Amino acid sequence: KKGNYDHFMQKEIHEQPHSLTTTMRGRLKDNSVVLGGLKDHLKTIRHSRRIIFIGCGTSYNAALAARPFLEELSGIPVSMELASDLLDRQGPIYREDTAVFVSQSGETADTLLALEYALENGALCVGVTNTVGSTLARKTHCGVHINAGCEIGVASTKAYTSQIVVMAMMALAIGADRISTQARRQDIINDLSSLPSKVSEVLKLDGEMRDLAESLIQTQSLLVFGRGYNYATALEGALKVKEVALMHSEGMLAGEMKHGPLALVDETLPIIVIATRDACFSKQQSVIQQLHARKGRLIVMCSKGDASTVGPMESCRVIEVPQVADCLQPVINIIPLQVSP
Ligand code: F6R
């Protein structure tokens, strides 16, 4: 039932403090993570030569958000595959690979075809899905349910944040044998516990984001620039704008801005720049300066308290979001972009 909400999507966006809680329930211990569906396979995963994330649409974007910290915590190279592209290319997959399939429904045709292909090639196949008993859950060797609750809205929202959290927990479990990252892992575990309350906090921006959306109604197009942990946020934010606001939007890697997209910048094209605090912060600051120099129409998403760092306020709108561990920040940052379309 939609309750007081106009659409299922809206209801599911506002459910996220709860869905994230159920995703983590029983899985976070004081200083470790327990994923029942994975524990017998952790050794094999740790010995794999490569981890390949495979999915479509929002599920692919969630995996892209998880890629940097899975690489960091596991030390294993992680590659990304859109299921249809892997099939088109018949890209190489080996017995020494771990292929992680991400799908809310567990029934997406391209993802299931890619799964058949990876099974034929002898990879260990891991499923990350929201749907118990789905084809993906049945055909993979092992996996983790995201337990976000049934998602009815056509545009995926709460599944996205729960997928990221599950992949964060996977990274913590896979990397648990590495002494060198112990302190880092502890920080992430602590911040995972406080994530639902931070999500409630950022959901209060709902009204402010609707005002912002209102101001963009007349525009033809919207760019979203992100990098590092939040490259995925840029792609996923733009995907939500496309499918919900039916407006052209592109997510772009901010590091690529000077290699072409800068030519598009003028006073009319709105550009969202994600510039919350992490190791890429100063690089993102210089992107903002270059955009100001071109008189770009900027909307900057920054960490709470950082509004003064984004440049002349009269030419720029600011969205301030609560800060969490850098690798979990994509869970917070996508929420204003979910509510605005
Ligand atoms: C976007 C959206 C789609 C799905 C994609 C994969 O909001 O919902 O892009 O993410 O079709 O679906 P699943 O995750 O069910 O495999």
Side-chain angles (χ1 to χ4, degrees):
K1 296 286 176 320
K2 288 184 296 204
N4 293 328
Y5 296 102
D6 296 339
H7 306 285
F8 279 110
M9 179 184 170
Q10 212 186 0
K11 171 172 180 273
E12 287 161 4
I13 289 169
H14 286 270
E15 243 166 49
Q16 289 178 104
H18 176 70
S19 53
L20 289 169
T21 304
T22 58
T23 296
M24 291 186 275
R25 183 165 294 146
R27 291 167 162 179
L28 286 189
K29 308 293 172 209
D30 291 339
N31 52 13
S32 67
V33 166
V34 180
L35 296 171
L38 224 56
K39 66 177 196 310
D40 293 341
H41 297 82
L42 283 175
K43 224 168 144 189
T44 317
I45 299 173
R46 284 176 192 144
H47 285 114
S48 50
R49 273 213 317 212
R50 167 174 77 150
I51 297 171
I52 313 170
F53 275 129
I54 303 169
C56 307
T58 292
S59 294
Y60 173 90
N61 292 342
L64 187 66
R67 179 195 201 180
F69 55 82
L70 180 56
E71 283 181 336
E72 179 194 341
L73 295 182
S74 72
I76 303 168
V78 178
S79 59
M80 298 297 308
E81 292 285 358
L82 285 160
S84 65
D85 188 47
L86 175 68
L87 294 164
D88 290 347
R89 298 185 348 263
Q90 297 282 295
I93 294 207
Y94 302 106
R95 300 183 60 83
E96 301 79 14
D97 289 330
T98 294
V100 180
F101 293 84
V102 186
S103 172
Q104 189 283 128
S105 61
E107 300 295 349
T108 299
D110 286 331
T111 307
L112 293 179
L113 287 169
L115 170 59
E116 292 294 340
Y117 176 73
L119 287 168
E120 279 162 21
N121 285 280
L124 175 72
C125 293
V126 180
V128 173
T129 181
N130 198 26
T131 317
V132 178
S134 61
T135 311
L136 186 84
R138 284 184 287 108
K139 293 202 169 164
T140 41
H141 296 116
C142 59
V144 188
H145 285 113
I146 67 168
N147 298 341
C150 185
E151 190 174 63
I152 295 169
V154 184
S156 183
T157 54
K158 65 175 181 173
Y160 179 74
T161 48
S162 283
Q163 283 166 338
I164 297 176
V165 163
V166 159
M167 289 183 274
M169 293 192 293
M170 272 176 57
L172 292 163
I174 294 168
D177 61 332
R178 301 174 87 216
I179 309 281
S180 59
T181 55
Q182 217 159 3
R184 169 79 163 145
R185 280 204 316 279
Q186 190 58 57
D187 289 345
I188 300 172
I189 291 172
N190 295 344
D191 276 27
L192 276 170
S193 324
S194 61
L195 204 52
S197 67
K198 296 281 170 88
V199 167
S200 301
E201 201 180 318
V202 71
L203 279 166
K204 294 188 189 132
L205 294 175
D206 197 345
E208 194 182 317
M209 291 308 298
R210 279 161 196 259
D211 287 348
L212 178 63
E214 215 49 48
S215 74
L216 298 178
I217 270 174
Q218 299 299 331
T219 58
Q220 300 286 318
S221 183
L222 171 71
L223 300 187
V224 191
F225 282 162
R227 72 196 309 150
Y229 294 115
N230 287 289
Y231 173 37
T233 311
L235 296 189
E236 175 59 10
L239 182 60
K240 290 290 93 98
V241 172
K242 278 180 201 140
E243 60 176 344
V244 182
L246 307 181
M247 176 168 126
H248 173 252
S249 181
E250 289 304 324
M252 290 183 180
L253 188 69
E256 278 290 292
M257 184 185 75
K258 56 180 177 290
H259 304 295
L262 198 56
L264 292 171
V265 178
D266 64 14
E267 285 146 32
T268 59
L269 173 67
I271 303 175
I272 299 180
V273 183
I274 301 164
T276 42
R277 291 274 173 171
D278 60 24
C280 296
F281 181 67
S282 65
K283 289 188 195 166
Q284 229 25 7
Q285 293 298 100
S286 79
V287 163
I288 292 170
Q289 280 161 16
Q290 289 173 54
L291 291 169
H292 276 311
R294 300 244 171 171
K295 305 218 175 339
R297 185 174 165 195
L298 299 197
I299 300 150
V300 178
M301 183 184 293
C302 64
S303 302
K304 203 161 254 178
D306 268 352
S308 60
T309 67
V310 303
M313 296 294 263
E314 54 291 354
S315 57
C316 175
R317 289 191 69 150
V318 180
I319 309 163
E320 283 186 83
V321 295
Q323 197 176 343
V324 293
D326 50 10
C327 64
L328 301 176
Q329 196 66 44
V331 173
I332 300 294
N333 291 1
I334 194 59
I335 289 176
L337 305 176
Q338 291 176 336
V339 294
S340 52

